[in-house]
Amino acid sequence: MKIILFALPGNEELAKVLADKLKAEMGEATIRRFPDGESYVRILSDVKDKKVVLVCSLHQPDEKLLPLYFLSNVAKDLGAKCTCLVAPYLAYMRQDKIFHEGEGVTSKYFARLVSGFADSLVTVDPHLHRISSLGEVYSIPTEVVHAAGAISEWIKKHIENPVLVGPDSESEQWVSEVAKHAGAPFLVLEKTRHGDRDVEVSVPQVEAFKNHTPVLVDDIISTARTMIETVGHLKKASMKAPVCIGVHAVFSGEAFWDLLNSGVEKVVTCNTIPHGSNAIDLSGLYVDFIQNFEKPII
Ligand code: R5P
């Protein structure tokens, strides 16, 4: 089946790299807003009988969802065989339980929406915590690819004598993997979040690692409060300035600059969300899933 890729705004670079790797065609589409704020979508390429790949990382998801929904539906109305969503960052995964009365599990609602228009989904390290696999909430075939291997390679190449630090128990899953491949020791801290920007992280026991370079690894850096709080503890313990690595560079508001100015050596992220700190390329991880996905005939 022929493959054609469409980049949602902001995802052009990744879509082109993927098109090259897949030796596939880049599709042309107009995606814009009408003066009244409604979304306009027009596909200009031939998609009939093709596998349509929609490349759209889902940070700031609310504004992206409708154009994506329209594009997927237009493609199918124009005869596409199936649509495959490449969303390196998958939103709403942290709302995986009812924290306060009156809330809902928005991870589940969001999954229902996406499953309603895309035929498949590939993403990088979604925040799987209380939901243990995407299949629990997504009703379409999904594939999770992992950044750990590429992060380990980056650490091996750029950091001498690292000790990896995960800021909370959820981070243990990827920090332990990264540490294993990088051949480095690791510590996992305890975190309590009191509010969006109010985070408490336990004091790391780093006495044995005074000559190491601390490398903080987390899946998401959003307000950066988790990292900044951890950096503060490391400073107090007279450790070397840490390198901070995030899979997903969400960085809300001034978070990136706040982190950079908190006494770190460097901030590095994977290219799941386009950002100046991207230094670890994961584009190769999506290729197999895109190539192999076939829509089941029902
Ligand atoms: C949540 O537990 C995640 O793994 C991250 O630790 C969290 O999203 C980081 O958020 P922030 O940068 O806002 O502290």
Side-chain angles (χ1 to χ4, degrees), residues 8 31 39 41 43 54 56 58 61-77 83 85 112-118:
L8 275 287
I31 302 165
S39 290
V41 159
I43 290 181
L54 306 171
C56 185
L58 286 169
D62 299 10
E63 65 201 44
K64 294 185 178 135
L65 206 62
L66 215 53
L68 203 50
Y69 170 79
F70 288 153
L71 203 61
S72 187
N73 278 287
V74 175
K76 288 182 197 182
D77 283 349
T83 60
L85 174 59
R112 215 179 279 158
L113 271 176
V114 173
S115 301
F117 66 82

Side-chain angles (χ1 to χ4, degrees), residues 83-103:
T83 60
C84 179
L85 174 59
V86 177
Y89 175 67
L90 189 58
Y92 284 106
M93 290 305 294
R94 289 180 292 171
Q95 315 295 319
D96 58 356
K97 80 166 206 178
I98 294 170
F99 295 93
H100 304 104
E101 199 186 337
E103 294 175 349

Side-chain angles (χ1 to χ4, degrees), residues 94 127 168 170 191 193 218-226:
R94 289 180 292 171
H127 190 81
D168 53 26
E170 291 121 273
K191 178 172 85 180
R193 186 179 283 282
D218 207 352
D219 59 340
I220 298 168
I221 315 179
S222 175
T223 64
R225 294 300 124 182
T226 303

Side-chain angles (χ1 to χ4, degrees), residues 3-22:
I3 297 174
I4 183 166
L5 293 96
F6 289 91
L8 275 287
N11 296 272
E12 294 79 2
E13 202 179 313
L14 174 60
K16 283 199 190 94
V17 172
L18 270 177
D20 284 348
K21 288 190 197 284
L22 290 157

